Amino acid sequence: MRNSKALVAFSGAAFAAATLFAGAPAHAADDREVCASAADQAQQLRDEGKYRRAREQMLICARDVCPAPIKRDCLEWLSSLEQVAPTIVISAKDGTGDVTDVKVSMDGTSITERLDGKPFPVDLGEHTFKFEYQGKTKEEKVLIGAGQKVRTIGVQFGNPNAGTTGGDSSGGATAGGEQKSGSLVPALVVGGIGVLALGSWAYFGLSGTSDVDHLESTCKPNCKQSDVDSARSKLIIADVSLGVGVVALGVATYMILTRPKVDSEIKTGMNSVRFDFGPTRGGAVAGLGGNF
C-alpha cells in the first residue's frame, strides 16, 4: 500500500513537471513572436510618420521578455524616435485666464479629459483638434512637422477682455480706450516737419533770388558757372521745400481729423519720419523721408 501511494505521488509530480516544462517553450515562443511582430510594425509606422503608434510598438518589443537582439534594436529606435517625434502642449483660456477642465480630441479620437500642461506626442501631418468646455466647442486645424517640440496648441473661449475697462461684447475693444481718444503727438511731429520745410523754402527762396539779382547786376552774361549753379540750386531747394511743407502740413491735418482711425497705425511708423537738410557743393539739399 505504501509503495502504491508513493508511486501515485511520484507520477503526479512527474506529470506536473512535464506539463510545466512543456508549457514554458510555448510561452517563450509566443513572446518572441509578439516581439518580432512589434519590431516590424514599429519600423513601418516610424517610416510612415506615425510616431505615436510606432512608439507604442517599440515599447512592446523593448520589454525584458523579448530576445536580446530585438530588445536592443527597439531601445535604440525608441531613443532616436524621441529626438524627432513632435510633441504638443494643449492650452485653453477663457475671459478670466487659463482653464483645465477641457476635453480634447484629435482627428476624432479623445486624447485627454483634462489639461495638465504635459507634452503630448503626435504624428506628422495635418490634425483637427476639437476642444469642449462648458458646453462650448471649438476646432483648430494644425499642421505638425518633424522635430517640433512642445508646440503650444491653444484656444480661446469667450471674450479675452471680459472684466476690463472699455471692453465690449465683441472682444475687440482696446484697453484704456487709447485708440478711441487718439494722440496728437504724431500729427504735431509731421506738422513741425512741414513748418521746417516752409522755413527752408523761405530761406533758400530769398537767398537764391538775391543771388540771381546780384549776378544780373554785376556780371551777366559772363558770370562764373559755379555762382550760377549755386543760385540755381538754392531756387530748386526752395521749390522742393515748398512741396514738402505743403504735403507735410496736409498729412498733419488729415491725421488730426482722422486720428481715432489711424492713430494705431501711424504710431509704429512715426519714429522713422525725418526731415533731411544739409549743405552740398554749390548749394544745399533738403528732403522728407519715412513712413506716414
Side-chain angles (χ1 to χ4, degrees):
M1 180 67 68
R2 288 181 181 178
N3 292 335
S4 125
K5 290 182 178 180
L7 181 60
V8 171
F10 175 78
S11 299
F15 177 78
T19 303
L20 177 62
F21 287 115
H27 187 272
D30 291 341
D31 286 337
R32 285 196 299 268
E33 184 177 348
V34 170
C35 294
S37 176
D40 291 339
Q41 293 183 50
Q43 295 179 82
Q44 181 178 351
L45 292 169
R46 177 198 58 193
D47 295 340
E48 294 174 355
K50 300 176 181 178
Y51 292 150
R52 286 186 60 212
R53 294 174 57 191
R55 185 175 183 273
E56 294 173 356
Q57 296 301 315
M58 290 177 186
L59 290 174
I60 294 176
C61 63
R63 296 175 301 162
D64 291 337
V65 297
C66 293
I70 294 179
K71 176 183 176 182
R72 181 180 62 251
D73 290 343
C74 289
L75 287 174
E76 291 178 358
W77 299 339
L78 190 60
S79 177
S80 299
L81 187 69
E82 295 296 340
Q83 301 298 320
V84 298
T87 60
I88 63 171
V89 174
I90 300 174
S91 68
K93 296 178 180 291
D94 64 3
T96 60
D98 293 326
V99 292
T100 58
D101 52 334
V102 180
K103 296 181 179 179
V104 184
S105 62
M106 181 179 70
D107 302 328
T109 302
S110 177
I111 58 176
T112 185
E113 296 288 322
R114 186 177 183 85
L115 305 185
D116 55 11
K118 295 180 181 179
F120 182 81
V122 292
D123 296 336
L124 299 179
E126 186 180 64
H127 300 282
T128 300
F129 292 89
K130 181 179 179 181
F131 303 82
E132 298 179 61
Y133 171 68
Q134 294 184 351
K136 303 175 183 177
T137 301
K138 286 198 171 185
E139 288 190 357
E140 295 285 342
K141 285 189 176 182
V142 181
L143 180 63
I144 302 297
Q148 292 183 337
K149 294 294 184 181
V150 199
R151 176 178 174 180
T152 300
I153 308 297
V155 67
Q156 177 75 47
F157 289 97
N159 179 12
N161 296 322
T164 60
T165 303
D168 60 22
S169 59
S170 66
T174 58
E178 180 180 357
Q179 185 174 346
K180 294 181 180 180
S181 62
S183 173
L184 288 174
V185 174
L188 294 177
V189 171
V190 176
I193 293 174
V195 173
L196 290 176
L198 291 181
S200 172
W201 163 70
Y203 170 78
F204 285 103
L206 292 174
S207 179
T209 301
S210 177
D211 289 350
V212 170
D213 292 341
H214 176 72
L215 293 174
E216 289 181 346
S217 63
T218 59
C219 61
K220 185 179 179 180
N222 299 316
C223 300
K224 293 181 180 180
Q225 187 62 40
S226 60
D227 293 338
V228 175
D229 291 341
S230 176
R232 183 183 295 112
S233 296
K234 291 180 180 180
L235 294 177
I236 292 175
I237 292 173
D239 292 340
V240 172
S241 297
L242 177 60
V244 171
V246 171
V247 171
L249 291 177
V251 171
T253 302
Y254 172 78
M255 292 165 64
I256 292 174
L257 296 177
T258 62
R259 66 184 186 277
K261 298 179 181 179
V262 303
D263 185 51
S264 60
E265 299 179 1
I266 61 177
K267 283 184 179 179
T268 58
M270 285 312 303
N271 289 334
S272 61
V273 176
R274 65 188 184 278
F275 178 75
D276 298 322
F277 168 76
T280 63
R281 185 175 181 180
V285 64
L288 177 67
N291 298 322
F292 294 94

